[in-house]
């Protein structure tokens, strides 16, 4: 069982995916704290509905990123958090937070990294004309959307896709792969070797390659 803290800034559909998996007994994780840098976001309401402690620490209240992150660390530690899950958290993470939770911070990004890091991964994919898009769960390092990749899920880009329709398709895969990554962590199966993450132990048969034209 891993004790997690979830950092949010918005709608919290990935948080909801964790909550639902835990409730179904399919994720060996307890969410000790949901921390938001913005008040009154939907993610906080989702946490409250699930009976999870919440806290708002507004980044605007701090002159420097380091002081903001120090406040985050204090709350996360006080809650007994071992693993930090960025789930739509809209602040860049610096070495202050990284040093407090080394290889213990995960992020989900709505693109097949290393393609399309940064903002608007879905829009970037559409503008580039790729046929496959998707989502990536990775450990966080000092570069944005860059750390060792844990799980990726691909979806097709269809001819009539809008940013919205592609976002919805990618979100479905996000809600599968983020809980999967956390479960692998909880089982102690993730071994980081440089930029590569090896998953120890048996795995179910994977479906064949996804080919799209
Ligand atoms: C997701 O698309 C995630 O990939 C990105 O931010 C979005 C968060 O959505 N990092 P939600 O708040 O979990 O609904």
């Amino acid at each position: 069982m891993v004790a997690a803290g979830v950092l949010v800034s918005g709608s919290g559909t990935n948080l909801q995916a964790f909550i639902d998996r835990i409730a179904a007994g399919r994720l060996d994780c307890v969410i000790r704290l949901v921390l938001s840098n913005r008040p009154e976001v939907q993610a906080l309401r989702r946490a409250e509905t699930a009976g999870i402690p919440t806290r708002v620490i507004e980044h605007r209240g701090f002159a420097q990123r380091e002081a903001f992150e120090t406040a985050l660390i204090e709350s996360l530690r006080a809650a007994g958090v071992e693993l930090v899950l960025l789930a739509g958290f809209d602040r860049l993470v610096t070495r202050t937070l990284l040093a407090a939770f080394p290889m213990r911070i995960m992020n989900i990004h709505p693109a097949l990294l290393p393609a399309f890091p940064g903002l608007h991964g879905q829009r970037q994919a559409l503008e580039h004309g790729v046929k496959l898009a998707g989502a990536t769960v990775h450990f966080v390092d000092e570069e944005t959307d860059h750390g060792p990749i844990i799980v990726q899920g691909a979806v097709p880009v269809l001819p009539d896709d809008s940013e919205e329709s592609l976002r919805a398709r990618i979100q479905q895969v996000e809600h599968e792969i983020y809980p999967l990554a956390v479960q692998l962590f909880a089982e102690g199966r993730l071994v980081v070797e440089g930029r590569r993450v090896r998953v120890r132990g048996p795995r179910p048969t994977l479906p064949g390659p996804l080919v799209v034209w």
Side-chain angles (χ1 to χ4, degrees):
M1 183 72 70
V2 64
V6 185
L7 268 52
V8 298
S9 307
S11 65
T13 63
N14 280 284
L15 169 65
Q16 191 67 52
F18 295 137
I19 291 169
D20 293 346
R21 289 283 170 119
I22 291 167
R26 289 168 58 210
L27 182 54
D28 298 325
C29 173
V30 54
I31 302 175
R32 294 231 195 270
L33 180 66
V34 170
L35 250 175
S36 176
N37 62 320
R38 299 183 187 279
E40 291 165 27
V41 292
Q42 199 186 347
L44 289 168
R45 289 202 294 277
R46 293 178 191 272
E48 284 156 12
T49 303
I52 299 168
T54 62
R55 176 115 197 248
V56 176
I57 301 181
E58 291 192 68
H59 61 277
R60 287 179 308 183
F62 298 85
Q64 267 135 18
R65 242 177 240 280
E66 192 173 85
F68 169 60
E69 289 190 355
T70 300
L72 296 182
I73 292 164
E74 279 168 14
S75 280
L76 292 165
R77 287 212 171 120
V81 167
E82 308 161 73
L83 176 68
V84 178
L85 302 170
L86 308 185
F89 185 62
D90 64 9
R91 308 308 295 165
L92 293 178
V93 165
T94 76
R95 65 183 62 174
T96 304
L97 189 60
L98 289 167
F101 294 93
M103 285 301 155
R104 294 283 184 279
I105 306 176
M106 289 184 189
N107 180 45
I108 185 149
H109 180 72
L112 293 173
L113 293 174
F116 316 133
L119 293 175
H120 309 301
Q122 304 92 337
R123 188 187 305 167
Q124 292 185 62
L126 283 174
E127 285 172 355
H128 201 94
V130 294
K131 305 291 186 190
L132 282 172
T136 303
V137 182
H138 63 94
F139 284 114
V140 175
D141 69 7
E142 287 181 26
E143 283 181 55
T144 304
D145 301 327
H146 173 270
I149 291 172
I150 304 165
V151 189
Q152 292 186 301
V155 299
V157 179
L158 300 179
D160 296 332
D161 264 335
S162 62
E163 207 177 321
E164 225 12 83
S165 63
L166 183 57
R167 173 175 294 114
R169 194 173 309 117
I170 291 174
Q171 261 193 351
Q172 287 181 2
V173 85
E174 289 184 16
H175 301 162
E176 293 298 319
I177 67 173
Y178 211 175
L180 170 60
V182 174
Q183 181 61 26
L184 292 170
F185 183 96
E187 292 174 8
R189 293 175 60 188
L190 301 180
V191 183
V192 182
E193 295 172 348
R195 289 203 50 76
R196 299 179 73 170
V197 179
R198 199 159 51 81
V199 179
R200 278 197 293 231
R203 65 183 73 204
T205 314
L206 298 169
L210 178 53
V211 178
V212 186
W213 66 95

